[in-house]
Amino acid sequence: MSDIQTILPGILLALGGTALGLMTPGPNILSVIGTSMSAGRAAGKALAYGIGFGACIWATLAWAGLAGLLSVYASAITALKIAGAAYLLWLAFKAFRSAASPKPLELRETMSTANGNAYFRRGFLIVMTNPKAVLVWIAIMSLGVRADSPWWVGGVIMAVGGSMSIFAHQLYAIAFSTSPMIRFYSRARRWIEAGLGTFFCFASYKLLTSKS
């Protein structure tokens, strides 16, 4: 029980970072929103499935790579903490900069006429050709995986975080095929992104100050 109590806060912090990261309007989300608005809900959902599937692959690779590195060289966790914290601070900077800007979201339409398989492939390629995606998952894993963590901790983060990615992108596809949600998000965007920036700063601090 004491081990679970020690491990659980890191897992929850990593999953919290995943959840809030999925609220950040990056290339993946903007592609889903733009496609849902321009080509309809079905196209947006197919694109979202491709993006979510790709995210699961990156999460698995980040978990396997991190676990393998720590099994050989446990002190590598220090370097990973620094790299993860730096990336979280970069995400915080981007969130604050976006919150300070009055410019509306720049939506990205992905194709206009294609079948569901084509949209799925396109979503998958968007994720797999983005090198920042693996940095995101390494930072997330670093929040929850310590040098003495059991192997399954990374697996839990990968499985739950990957499922959250699929679910969240599906929600974006459904929600942003309706005009009320578009208007709401446009009004609340700056407050949402300011909150995200605050969380990323907190997560970076927690990552650097954790004991192992």
Side-chain angles (χ1 to χ4, degrees):
M1 179 64 68
S2 60
D3 289 341
I4 294 295
Q5 291 175 344
T6 301
I7 292 169
L8 187 58
I11 295 177
L12 294 178
L13 182 62
L15 295 178
T18 303
L20 290 179
L22 289 168
M23 295 173 63
T24 305
N28 299 345
I29 292 173
L30 293 180
S31 295
V32 172
I33 293 174
T35 300
S36 296
M37 291 175 60
S38 61
R41 179 175 297 181
K45 291 180 67 175
L47 187 80
Y49 274 124
I51 290 173
F53 181 67
C56 289
I57 291 179
W58 277 128
T60 303
L61 293 175
W63 170 39
L66 185 60
L69 181 62
L70 293 180
S71 67
V72 176
Y73 187 49
S75 61
I77 193 66
T78 301
L80 287 171
K81 281 184 179 181
I82 294 172
Y87 190 72
L88 288 169
L89 285 176
W90 169 245
L91 292 179
F93 167 75
K94 289 176 62 179
F96 285 133
R97 183 179 62 182
S98 180
S101 172
K103 294 176 61 178
L105 289 175
E106 295 180 2
L107 302 178
R108 304 182 178 194
E109 177 183 347
T110 302
M111 302 182 293
S112 57
T113 57
N115 59 32
N117 290 334
Y119 279 108
F120 178 90
R121 289 193 299 269
R122 178 59 179 168
F124 180 73
L125 289 175
I126 288 173
V127 176
M128 299 308 295
T129 56
N130 180 12
K132 291 182 180 179
V134 71
L135 295 178
V136 171
W137 282 106
I138 288 175
I140 289 171
M141 288 290 176
S142 298
L143 289 171
V145 178
R146 307 181 307 175
D148 58 347
S149 294
W151 67 269
W152 54 264
V153 172
V156 169
I157 297 172
M158 178 274 294
V160 179
S163 299
M164 288 169 61
S165 179
I166 294 174
F167 181 71
H169 284 92
Q170 287 297 307
L171 281 182
Y172 277 114
I174 295 171
F176 281 91
S177 58
T178 63
S179 56
M181 178 57 72
I182 297 170
R183 291 194 297 268
F184 167 77
Y185 192 87
S186 297
R187 290 195 298 267
R189 175 187 64 82
R190 298 175 72 179
W191 287 102
I192 292 172
E193 290 172 352
L196 292 175
T198 301
F199 174 83
F200 288 134
C201 287
F202 170 75
S204 178
Y205 168 78
K206 292 292 290 183
L207 183 57
L208 285 175
T209 57
S210 60
K211 294 182 179 180
S212 57

PDB file of all heavy atoms in Angstrom, residues 130-167:
ATOM      1  N   ASN A 130       5.753  14.323 -36.688  1.00  0.00           N
ATOM      2  CA  ASN A 130       6.002  15.455 -35.800  1.00  0.00           C
ATOM      3  C   ASN A 130       6.952  15.026 -34.688  1.00  0.00           C
ATOM      4  O   ASN A 130       6.543  14.346 -33.741  1.00  0.00           O
ATOM      5  CB  ASN A 130       4.681  15.962 -35.208  1.00  0.00           C
ATOM      6  CG  ASN A 130       4.887  17.145 -34.279  1.00  0.00           C
ATOM      7  OD1 ASN A 130       5.962  17.731 -34.227  1.00  0.00           O
ATOM      8  ND2 ASN A 130       3.853  17.498 -33.536  1.00  0.00           N
ATOM      9  N   PRO A 131       8.244  15.395 -34.745  1.00  0.00           N
ATOM     10  CA  PRO A 131       9.204  14.952 -33.722  1.00  0.00           C
ATOM     11  C   PRO A 131       8.887  15.478 -32.338  1.00  0.00           C
ATOM     12  O   PRO A 131       9.322  14.913 -31.340  1.00  0.00           O
ATOM     13  CB  PRO A 131      10.541  15.498 -34.236  1.00  0.00           C
ATOM     14  CG  PRO A 131      10.180  16.642 -35.133  1.00  0.00           C
ATOM     15  CD  PRO A 131       8.872  16.256 -35.759  1.00  0.00           C
ATOM     16  N   LYS A 132       8.105  16.553 -32.250  1.00  0.00           N
ATOM     17  CA  LYS A 132       7.761  17.088 -30.934  1.00  0.00           C
ATOM     18  C   LYS A 132       6.838  16.140 -30.165  1.00  0.00           C
ATOM     19  O   LYS A 132       6.767  16.209 -28.939  1.00  0.00           O
ATOM     20  CB  LYS A 132       7.083  18.451 -31.079  1.00  0.00           C
ATOM     21  CG  LYS A 132       8.006  19.559 -31.564  1.00  0.00           C
ATOM     22  CD  LYS A 132       7.279  20.882 -31.631  1.00  0.00           C
ATOM     23  CE  LYS A 132       8.203  21.992 -32.112  1.00  0.00           C
ATOM     24  NZ  LYS A 132       7.507  23.302 -32.198  1.00  0.00           N
ATOM     25  N   ALA A 133       6.151  15.263 -30.888  1.00  0.00           N
ATOM     26  CA  ALA A 133       5.215  14.363 -30.223  1.00  0.00           C
ATOM     27  C   ALA A 133       5.918  13.456 -29.229  1.00  0.00           C
ATOM     28  O   ALA A 133       5.437  13.229 -28.120  1.00  0.00           O
ATOM     29  CB  ALA A 133       4.466  13.529 -31.268  1.00  0.00           C
ATOM     30  N   VAL A 134       7.086  12.929 -29.613  1.00  0.00           N
ATOM     31  CA  VAL A 134       7.798  12.050 -28.691  1.00  0.00           C
ATOM     32  C   VAL A 134       8.361  12.833 -27.515  1.00  0.00           C
ATOM     33  O   VAL A 134       8.447  12.318 -26.394  1.00  0.00           O
ATOM     34  CB  VAL A 134       8.904  11.269 -29.431  1.00  0.00           C
ATOM     35  CG1 VAL A 134      10.059  12.180 -29.819  1.00  0.00           C
ATOM     36  CG2 VAL A 134       9.407  10.104 -28.569  1.00  0.00           C
ATOM     37  N   LEU A 135       8.714  14.103 -27.726  1.00  0.00           N
ATOM     38  CA  LEU A 135       9.191  14.930 -26.605  1.00  0.00           C
ATOM     39  C   LEU A 135       8.075  15.144 -25.590  1.00  0.00           C
ATOM     40  O   LEU A 135       8.319  15.152 -24.378  1.00  0.00           O
ATOM     41  CB  LEU A 135       9.705  16.271 -27.125  1.00  0.00           C
ATOM     42  CG  LEU A 135      10.929  16.236 -28.030  1.00  0.00           C
ATOM     43  CD1 LEU A 135      11.284  17.636 -28.503  1.00  0.00           C
ATOM     44  CD2 LEU A 135      12.116  15.615 -27.313  1.00  0.00           C
ATOM     45  N   VAL A 136       6.867  15.327 -26.088  1.00  0.00           N
ATOM     46  CA  VAL A 136       5.727  15.484 -25.193  1.00  0.00           C
ATOM     47  C   VAL A 136       5.563  14.249 -24.316  1.00  0.00           C
ATOM     48  O   VAL A 136       5.417  14.343 -23.087  1.00  0.00           O
ATOM     49  CB  VAL A 136       4.434  15.737 -25.995  1.00  0.00           C
ATOM     50  CG1 VAL A 136       3.217  15.686 -25.085  1.00  0.00           C
ATOM     51  CG2 VAL A 136       4.512  17.083 -26.700  1.00  0.00           C
ATOM     52  N   TRP A 137       5.625  13.069 -24.925  1.00  0.00           N
ATOM     53  CA  TRP A 137       5.408  11.847 -24.170  1.00  0.00           C
ATOM     54  C   TRP A 137       6.576  11.539 -23.238  1.00  0.00           C
ATOM     55  O   TRP A 137       6.369  10.984 -22.145  1.00  0.00           O
ATOM     56  CB  TRP A 137       5.138  10.680 -25.106  1.00  0.00           C
ATOM     57  CG  TRP A 137       3.730  10.703 -25.606  1.00  0.00           C
ATOM     58  CD1 TRP A 137       3.293  11.043 -26.858  1.00  0.00           C
ATOM     59  CD2 TRP A 137       2.552  10.407 -24.845  1.00  0.00           C
ATOM     60  NE1 TRP A 137       1.923  10.978 -26.917  1.00  0.00           N
ATOM     61  CE2 TRP A 137       1.444  10.588 -25.700  1.00  0.00           C
ATOM     62  CE3 TRP A 137       2.326  10.011 -23.530  1.00  0.00           C
ATOM     63  CZ2 TRP A 137       0.136  10.381 -25.282  1.00  0.00           C
ATOM     64  CZ3 TRP A 137       1.028   9.810 -23.115  1.00  0.00           C
ATOM     65  CH2 TRP A 137      -0.053   9.990 -23.973  1.00  0.00           C
ATOM     66  N   ILE A 138       7.799  11.884 -23.622  1.00  0.00           N
ATOM     67  CA  ILE A 138       8.926  11.704 -22.704  1.00  0.00           C
ATOM     68  C   ILE A 138       8.755  12.597 -21.487  1.00  0.00           C
ATOM     69  O   ILE A 138       9.003  12.183 -20.343  1.00  0.00           O
ATOM     70  CB  ILE A 138      10.256  11.994 -23.424  1.00  0.00           C
ATOM     71  CG1 ILE A 138      10.562  10.860 -24.414  1.00  0.00           C
ATOM     72  CG2 ILE A 138      11.400  12.138 -22.420  1.00  0.00           C
ATOM     73  CD1 ILE A 138      11.792  11.104 -25.257  1.00  0.00           C
ATOM     74  N   ALA A 139       8.319  13.846 -21.720  1.00  0.00           N
ATOM     75  CA  ALA A 139       8.081  14.752 -20.592  1.00  0.00           C
ATOM     76  C   ALA A 139       6.977  14.210 -19.691  1.00  0.00           C
ATOM     77  O   ALA A 139       7.088  14.253 -18.457  1.00  0.00           O
ATOM     78  CB  ALA A 139       7.717  16.145 -21.116  1.00  0.00           C
ATOM     79  N   ILE A 140       5.913  13.679 -20.287  1.00  0.00           N
ATOM     80  CA  ILE A 140       4.811  13.120 -19.502  1.00  0.00           C
ATOM     81  C   ILE A 140       5.284  11.911 -18.697  1.00  0.00           C
ATOM     82  O   ILE A 140       4.997  11.785 -17.503  1.00  0.00           O
ATOM     83  CB  ILE A 140       3.646  12.741 -20.428  1.00  0.00           C
ATOM     84  CG1 ILE A 140       2.959  14.001 -20.966  1.00  0.00           C
ATOM     85  CG2 ILE A 140       2.627  11.856 -19.699  1.00  0.00           C
ATOM     86  CD1 ILE A 140       1.949  13.742 -22.051  1.00  0.00           C
ATOM     87  N   MET A 141       6.028  11.016 -19.353  1.00  0.00           N
ATOM     88  CA  MET A 141       6.541   9.835 -18.656  1.00  0.00           C
ATOM     89  C   MET A 141       7.462  10.227 -17.509  1.00  0.00           C
ATOM     90  O   MET A 141       7.456   9.606 -16.437  1.00  0.00           O
ATOM     91  CB  MET A 141       7.289   8.929 -19.635  1.00  0.00           C
ATOM     92  CG  MET A 141       6.400   8.200 -20.610  1.00  0.00           C
ATOM     93  SD  MET A 141       5.411   6.911 -19.797  1.00  0.00           S
ATOM     94  CE  MET A 141       4.425   6.339 -21.182  1.00  0.00           C
ATOM     95  N   SER A 142       8.258  11.274 -17.731  1.00  0.00           N
ATOM     96  CA  SER A 142       9.199  11.710 -16.699  1.00  0.00           C
ATOM     97  C   SER A 142       8.490  12.208 -15.453  1.00  0.00           C
ATOM     98  O   SER A 142       9.050  12.180 -14.356  1.00  0.00           O
ATOM     99  CB  SER A 142      10.110  12.814 -17.246  1.00  0.00           C
ATOM    100  OG  SER A 142      10.873  12.338 -18.327  1.00  0.00           O
ATOM    101  N   LEU A 143       7.248  12.685 -15.612  1.00  0.00           N
ATOM    102  CA  LEU A 143       6.483  13.139 -14.453  1.00  0.00           C
ATOM    103  C   LEU A 143       6.078  11.988 -13.551  1.00  0.00           C
ATOM    104  O   LEU A 143       5.944  12.153 -12.336  1.00  0.00           O
ATOM    105  CB  LEU A 143       5.222  13.887 -14.909  1.00  0.00           C
ATOM    106  CG  LEU A 143       5.417  15.269 -15.531  1.00  0.00           C
ATOM    107  CD1 LEU A 143       4.110  15.763 -16.119  1.00  0.00           C
ATOM    108  CD2 LEU A 143       5.944  16.255 -14.505  1.00  0.00           C
ATOM    109  N   GLY A 144       5.855  10.814 -14.130  1.00  0.00           N
ATOM    110  CA  GLY A 144       5.334   9.699 -13.355  1.00  0.00           C
ATOM    111  C   GLY A 144       6.297   8.558 -13.114  1.00  0.00           C
ATOM    112  O   GLY A 144       6.122   7.778 -12.175  1.00  0.00           O
ATOM    113  N   VAL A 145       7.323   8.427 -13.968  1.00  0.00           N
ATOM    114  CA  VAL A 145       8.258   7.307 -13.870  1.00  0.00           C
ATOM    115  C   VAL A 145       9.530   7.753 -13.165  1.00  0.00           C
ATOM    116  O   VAL A 145      10.177   8.710 -13.590  1.00  0.00           O
ATOM    117  CB  VAL A 145       8.593   6.750 -15.270  1.00  0.00           C
ATOM    118  CG1 VAL A 145       9.602   5.615 -15.153  1.00  0.00           C
ATOM    119  CG2 VAL A 145       7.328   6.261 -15.958  1.00  0.00           C
ATOM    120  N   ARG A 146       9.872   7.059 -12.085  1.00  0.00           N
ATOM    121  CA  ARG A 146      11.093   7.345 -11.350  1.00  0.00           C
ATOM    122  C   ARG A 146      12.086   6.205 -11.561  1.00  0.00           C
ATOM    123  O   ARG A 146      11.759   5.168 -12.132  1.00  0.00           O
ATOM    124  CB  ARG A 146      10.796   7.507  -9.855  1.00  0.00           C
ATOM    125  CG  ARG A 146       9.695   8.530  -9.558  1.00  0.00           C
ATOM    126  CD  ARG A 146       9.477   8.656  -8.076  1.00  0.00           C
ATOM    127  NE  ARG A 146       9.227   7.349  -7.450  1.00  0.00           N
ATOM    128  CZ  ARG A 146       9.106   7.175  -6.139  1.00  0.00           C
ATOM    129  NH1 ARG A 146       9.229   8.203  -5.322  1.00  0.00           N
ATOM    130  NH2 ARG A 146       8.866   5.962  -5.641  1.00  0.00           N
ATOM    131  N   ALA A 147      13.297   6.396 -11.070  1.00  0.00           N
ATOM    132  CA  ALA A 147      14.324   5.376 -11.256  1.00  0.00           C
ATOM    133  C   ALA A 147      13.937   4.060 -10.588  1.00  0.00           C
ATOM    134  O   ALA A 147      14.309   2.976 -11.068  1.00  0.00           O
ATOM    135  CB  ALA A 147      15.657   5.874 -10.697  1.00  0.00           C
ATOM    136  N   ASP A 148      13.179   4.107  -9.483  1.00  0.00           N
ATOM    137  CA  ASP A 148      12.802   2.895  -8.760  1.00  0.00           C
ATOM    138  C   ASP A 148      11.351   2.485  -9.014  1.00  0.00           C
ATOM    139  O   ASP A 148      10.805   1.648  -8.298  1.00  0.00           O
ATOM    140  CB  ASP A 148      13.018   3.089  -7.256  1.00  0.00           C
ATOM    141  CG  ASP A 148      12.226   4.268  -6.696  1.00  0.00           C
ATOM    142  OD1 ASP A 148      11.704   5.073  -7.503  1.00  0.00           O
ATOM    143  OD2 ASP A 148      12.139   4.391  -5.462  1.00  0.00           O
ATOM    144  N   SER A 149      10.726   3.053 -10.027  1.00  0.00           N
ATOM    145  CA  SER A 149       9.326   2.723 -10.307  1.00  0.00           C
ATOM    146  C   SER A 149       9.205   1.315 -10.888  1.00  0.00           C
ATOM    147  O   SER A 149      10.054   0.892 -11.677  1.00  0.00           O
ATOM    148  CB  SER A 149       8.722   3.728 -11.296  1.00  0.00           C
ATOM    149  OG  SER A 149       8.653   5.012 -10.731  1.00  0.00           O
ATOM    150  N   PRO A 150       8.148   0.562 -10.543  1.00  0.00           N
ATOM    151  CA  PRO A 150       7.884  -0.722 -11.196  1.00  0.00           C
ATOM    152  C   PRO A 150       7.642  -0.512 -12.690  1.00  0.00           C
ATOM    153  O   PRO A 150       7.233   0.568 -13.121  1.00  0.00           O
ATOM    154  CB  PRO A 150       6.609  -1.221 -10.497  1.00  0.00           C
ATOM    155  CG  PRO A 150       6.533  -0.461  -9.224  1.00  0.00           C
ATOM    156  CD  PRO A 150       7.167   0.878  -9.487  1.00  0.00           C
ATOM    157  N   TRP A 151       7.849  -1.551 -13.462  1.00  0.00           N
ATOM    158  CA  TRP A 151       7.726  -1.441 -14.919  1.00  0.00           C
ATOM    159  C   TRP A 151       6.328  -1.030 -15.345  1.00  0.00           C
ATOM    160  O   TRP A 151       6.150  -0.365 -16.365  1.00  0.00           O
ATOM    161  CB  TRP A 151       8.086  -2.784 -15.566  1.00  0.00           C
ATOM    162  CG  TRP A 151       7.094  -3.868 -15.250  1.00  0.00           C
ATOM    163  CD1 TRP A 151       7.130  -4.745 -14.200  1.00  0.00           C
ATOM    164  CD2 TRP A 151       5.905  -4.179 -15.973  1.00  0.00           C
ATOM    165  NE1 TRP A 151       6.049  -5.578 -14.222  1.00  0.00           N
ATOM    166  CE2 TRP A 151       5.275  -5.266 -15.302  1.00  0.00           C
ATOM    167  CE3 TRP A 151       5.300  -3.651 -17.119  1.00  0.00           C
ATOM    168  CZ2 TRP A 151       4.083  -5.818 -15.742  1.00  0.00           C
ATOM    169  CZ3 TRP A 151       4.105  -4.209 -17.553  1.00  0.00           C
ATOM    170  CH2 TRP A 151       3.513  -5.273 -16.870  1.00  0.00           C
ATOM    171  N   TRP A 152       5.318  -1.423 -14.539  1.00  0.00           N
ATOM    172  CA  TRP A 152       3.942  -1.204 -14.961  1.00  0.00           C
ATOM    173  C   TRP A 152       3.497   0.253 -14.857  1.00  0.00           C
ATOM    174  O   TRP A 152       2.466   0.623 -15.414  1.00  0.00           O
ATOM    175  CB  TRP A 152       2.983  -2.086 -14.163  1.00  0.00           C
ATOM    176  CG  TRP A 152       3.096  -1.968 -12.674  1.00  0.00           C
ATOM    177  CD1 TRP A 152       3.814  -2.776 -11.839  1.00  0.00           C
ATOM    178  CD2 TRP A 152       2.479  -0.984 -11.842  1.00  0.00           C
ATOM    179  NE1 TRP A 152       3.693  -2.363 -10.537  1.00  0.00           N
ATOM    180  CE2 TRP A 152       2.873  -1.270 -10.502  1.00  0.00           C
ATOM    181  CE3 TRP A 152       1.628   0.097 -12.084  1.00  0.00           C
ATOM    182  CZ2 TRP A 152       2.449  -0.495  -9.427  1.00  0.00           C
ATOM    183  CZ3 TRP A 152       1.204   0.874 -11.013  1.00  0.00           C
ATOM    184  CH2 TRP A 152       1.616   0.572  -9.704  1.00  0.00           C
ATOM    185  N   VAL A 153       4.268   1.079 -14.134  1.00  0.00           N
ATOM    186  CA  VAL A 153       3.873   2.484 -13.990  1.00  0.00           C
ATOM    187  C   VAL A 153       3.827   3.170 -15.350  1.00  0.00           C
ATOM    188  O   VAL A 153       2.863   3.848 -15.706  1.00  0.00           O
ATOM    189  CB  VAL A 153       4.836   3.221 -13.037  1.00  0.00           C
ATOM    190  CG1 VAL A 153       4.552   4.728 -13.046  1.00  0.00           C
ATOM    191  CG2 VAL A 153       4.704   2.675 -11.624  1.00  0.00           C
ATOM    192  N   GLY A 154       4.876   2.998 -16.127  1.00  0.00           N
ATOM    193  CA  GLY A 154       4.889   3.571 -17.479  1.00  0.00           C
ATOM    194  C   GLY A 154       3.784   2.985 -18.341  1.00  0.00           C
ATOM    195  O   GLY A 154       3.206   3.687 -19.177  1.00  0.00           O
ATOM    196  N   GLY A 155       3.488   1.692 -18.126  1.00  0.00           N
ATOM    197  CA  GLY A 155       2.420   1.067 -18.891  1.00  0.00           C
ATOM    198  C   GLY A 155       1.063   1.672 -18.586  1.00  0.00           C
ATOM    199  O   GLY A 155       0.239   1.864 -19.491  1.00  0.00           O
ATOM    200  N   VAL A 156       0.823   1.982 -17.322  1.00  0.00           N
ATOM    201  CA  VAL A 156      -0.439   2.624 -16.940  1.00  0.00           C
ATOM    202  C   VAL A 156      -0.548   3.998 -17.589  1.00  0.00           C
ATOM    203  O   VAL A 156      -1.596   4.361 -18.151  1.00  0.00           O
ATOM    204  CB  VAL A 156      -0.543   2.741 -15.409  1.00  0.00           C
ATOM    205  CG1 VAL A 156      -1.712   3.641 -15.012  1.00  0.00           C
ATOM    206  CG2 VAL A 156      -0.697   1.370 -14.773  1.00  0.00           C
ATOM    207  N   ILE A 157       0.533   4.774 -17.525  1.00  0.00           N
ATOM    208  CA  ILE A 157       0.523   6.111 -18.123  1.00  0.00           C
ATOM    209  C   ILE A 157       0.312   6.016 -19.629  1.00  0.00           C
ATOM    210  O   ILE A 157      -0.438   6.796 -20.218  1.00  0.00           O
ATOM    211  CB  ILE A 157       1.828   6.857 -17.800  1.00  0.00           C
ATOM    212  CG1 ILE A 157       1.944   7.071 -16.285  1.00  0.00           C
ATOM    213  CG2 ILE A 157       1.889   8.199 -18.531  1.00  0.00           C
ATOM    214  CD1 ILE A 157       3.278   7.631 -15.838  1.00  0.00           C
ATOM    215  N   MET A 158       0.983   5.050 -20.255  1.00  0.00           N
ATOM    216  CA  MET A 158       0.849   4.875 -21.700  1.00  0.00           C
ATOM    217  C   MET A 158      -0.582   4.490 -22.079  1.00  0.00           C
ATOM    218  O   MET A 158      -1.181   5.080 -22.985  1.00  0.00           O
ATOM    219  CB  MET A 158       1.828   3.803 -22.178  1.00  0.00           C
ATOM    220  CG  MET A 158       1.768   3.481 -23.671  1.00  0.00           C
ATOM    221  SD  MET A 158       0.524   2.225 -24.091  1.00  0.00           S
ATOM    222  CE  MET A 158       1.205   0.788 -23.259  1.00  0.00           C
ATOM    223  N   ALA A 159      -1.139   3.489 -21.367  1.00  0.00           N
ATOM    224  CA  ALA A 159      -2.469   2.995 -21.723  1.00  0.00           C
ATOM    225  C   ALA A 159      -3.552   4.044 -21.459  1.00  0.00           C
ATOM    226  O   ALA A 159      -4.394   4.311 -22.327  1.00  0.00           O
ATOM    227  CB  ALA A 159      -2.770   1.715 -20.938  1.00  0.00           C
ATOM    228  N   VAL A 160      -3.517   4.634 -20.267  1.00  0.00           N
ATOM    229  CA  VAL A 160      -4.546   5.621 -19.932  1.00  0.00           C
ATOM    230  C   VAL A 160      -4.349   6.902 -20.731  1.00  0.00           C
ATOM    231  O   VAL A 160      -5.302   7.478 -21.265  1.00  0.00           O
ATOM    232  CB  VAL A 160      -4.550   5.917 -18.417  1.00  0.00           C
ATOM    233  CG1 VAL A 160      -5.607   6.963 -18.083  1.00  0.00           C
ATOM    234  CG2 VAL A 160      -4.795   4.647 -17.622  1.00  0.00           C
ATOM    235  N   GLY A 161      -3.094   7.357 -20.825  1.00  0.00           N
ATOM    236  CA  GLY A 161      -2.823   8.579 -21.579  1.00  0.00           C
ATOM    237  C   GLY A 161      -3.152   8.430 -23.059  1.00  0.00           C
ATOM    238  O   GLY A 161      -3.714   9.341 -23.674  1.00  0.00           O
ATOM    239  N   GLY A 162      -2.817   7.273 -23.646  1.00  0.00           N
ATOM    240  CA  GLY A 162      -3.164   7.040 -25.040  1.00  0.00           C
ATOM    241  C   GLY A 162      -4.658   7.005 -25.265  1.00  0.00           C
ATOM    242  O   GLY A 162      -5.172   7.545 -26.246  1.00  0.00           O
ATOM    243  N   SER A 163      -5.380   6.356 -24.331  1.00  0.00           N
ATOM    244  CA  SER A 163      -6.849   6.324 -24.431  1.00  0.00           C
ATOM    245  C   SER A 163      -7.441   7.719 -24.303  1.00  0.00           C
ATOM    246  O   SER A 163      -8.398   8.074 -25.002  1.00  0.00           O
ATOM    247  CB  SER A 163      -7.420   5.413 -23.340  1.00  0.00           C
ATOM    248  OG  SER A 163      -6.943   4.084 -23.488  1.00  0.00           O
ATOM    249  N   MET A 164      -6.846   8.526 -23.404  1.00  0.00           N
ATOM    250  CA  MET A 164      -7.311   9.910 -23.247  1.00  0.00           C
ATOM    251  C   MET A 164      -7.116  10.688 -24.542  1.00  0.00           C
ATOM    252  O   MET A 164      -7.962  11.506 -24.922  1.00  0.00           O
ATOM    253  CB  MET A 164      -6.549  10.585 -22.109  1.00  0.00           C
ATOM    254  CG  MET A 164      -6.933  10.090 -20.726  1.00  0.00           C
ATOM    255  SD  MET A 164      -5.806  10.673 -19.427  1.00  0.00           S
ATOM    256  CE  MET A 164      -6.026  12.456 -19.567  1.00  0.00           C
ATOM    257  N   SER A 165      -6.006  10.437 -25.231  1.00  0.00           N
ATOM    258  CA  SER A 165      -5.739  11.142 -26.483  1.00  0.00           C
ATOM    259  C   SER A 165      -6.786  10.794 -27.548  1.00  0.00           C
ATOM    260  O   SER A 165      -7.318  11.683 -28.224  1.00  0.00           O
ATOM    261  CB  SER A 165      -4.335  10.803 -26.990  1.00  0.00           C
ATOM    262  OG  SER A 165      -4.072  11.453 -28.209  1.00  0.00           O
ATOM    263  N   ILE A 166      -7.089   9.504 -27.667  1.00  0.00           N
ATOM    264  CA  ILE A 166      -8.105   9.093 -28.636  1.00  0.00           C
ATOM    265  C   ILE A 166      -9.453   9.722 -28.296  1.00  0.00           C
ATOM    266  O   ILE A 166     -10.138  10.292 -29.159  1.00  0.00           O
ATOM    267  CB  ILE A 166      -8.224   7.559 -28.665  1.00  0.00           C
ATOM    268  CG1 ILE A 166      -6.927   6.940 -29.205  1.00  0.00           C
ATOM    269  CG2 ILE A 166      -9.415   7.127 -29.513  1.00  0.00           C
ATOM    270  CD1 ILE A 166      -6.910   5.423 -29.141  1.00  0.00           C
ATOM    271  N   PHE A 167      -9.834   9.634 -27.022  1.00  0.00           N
ATOM    272  CA  PHE A 167     -11.128  10.151 -26.584  1.00  0.00           C
ATOM    273  C   PHE A 167     -11.220  11.665 -26.780  1.00  0.00           C
ATOM    274  O   PHE A 167     -12.235  12.185 -27.270  1.00  0.00           O
ATOM    275  CB  PHE A 167     -11.337   9.792 -25.113  1.00  0.00           C
ATOM    276  CG  PHE A 167     -12.649  10.256 -24.550  1.00  0.00           C
ATOM    277  CD1 PHE A 167     -13.832   9.655 -24.931  1.00  0.00           C
ATOM    278  CD2 PHE A 167     -12.703  11.296 -23.639  1.00  0.00           C
ATOM    279  CE1 PHE A 167     -15.051  10.081 -24.417  1.00  0.00           C
ATOM    280  CE2 PHE A 167     -13.900  11.728 -23.120  1.00  0.00           C
ATOM    281  CZ  PHE A 167     -15.076  11.117 -23.516  1.00  0.00           C
TER     282      PHE A 167
END
